[in-house]
Amino acid sequence: MSGDYEISLRGMQFHTLVGVLPHEKEFPQQLEVDVTVWVSRAEGVVDYRTLYAAVSDVVREGPVGYLEDAGEKIAQRVLSDRSVRRARVALRKPNVPLPGPLAHAEVAVERAVDRGGR
């Protein structure tokens, strides 16, 4: 079969140290992550467990300072799978201490690799 397809895991939830403020380095908070990958059918399939593990490993490696850095690490991990051509990672942090109502702060990272061919 030719062509690409898209796989998404949405709303993965973790409780971890996230942020750069002193209290954020001490008290774990909720972090929600979505990952979407575009896969080449010609290269094979992607196991959902592998995608989940890539996210979980990065989150559990240590404190998450900036969401941008964690998103970049997750994107690079999922792109290491030869089947994956493109990845989008969105990280959401609810309960951000700002002076007004806010559902969450979100950072999205999208990366792609050129595997030749398409």
Side-chain angles (χ1 to χ4, degrees):
M1 291 183 156
S2 63
D4 292 350
Y5 59 96
E6 181 179 316
I7 298 172
S8 293
L9 298 181
R10 300 196 184 237
M12 292 176 274
Q13 295 184 6
F14 302 92
H15 201 70
T16 190
L17 295 175
V18 55
V20 296
L21 299 175
H23 70 279
E24 294 175 318
K25 294 179 180 181
E26 189 175 342
F27 300 104
Q29 302 176 63
Q30 183 179 350
L31 178 66
E32 188 171 296
V33 183
D34 299 340
V35 64
T36 300
V37 295
W38 287 262
V39 179
S40 167
R41 285 189 191 270
E43 295 292 332
V45 297
V46 174
D47 187 329
Y48 301 159
R49 294 170 294 187
T50 303
L51 293 177
Y52 186 90
V55 175
S56 179
D57 289 350
V58 169
V59 170
R60 293 194 170 113
E61 276 176 2
V64 174
Y66 291 101
L67 297 179
E68 295 87 341
D69 295 337
E72 184 66 40
K73 286 180 185 177
I74 293 166
Q76 293 305 321
R77 292 236 177 135
V78 298
L79 286 169
S80 69
D81 184 316
R82 293 280 310 154
S83 300
V84 177
R85 295 183 174 276
R86 192 170 94 205
R88 182 180 191 280
V89 179
L91 300 98
R92 284 181 297 284
K93 182 177 158 182
N95 309 315
V96 178
L98 292 175
L102 177 75
H104 57 261
E106 178 178 272
V107 170
V109 174
E110 190 166 331
R111 299 289 179 263
V113 293
D114 182 7
R115 304 237 190 254
R118 307 183 99 228

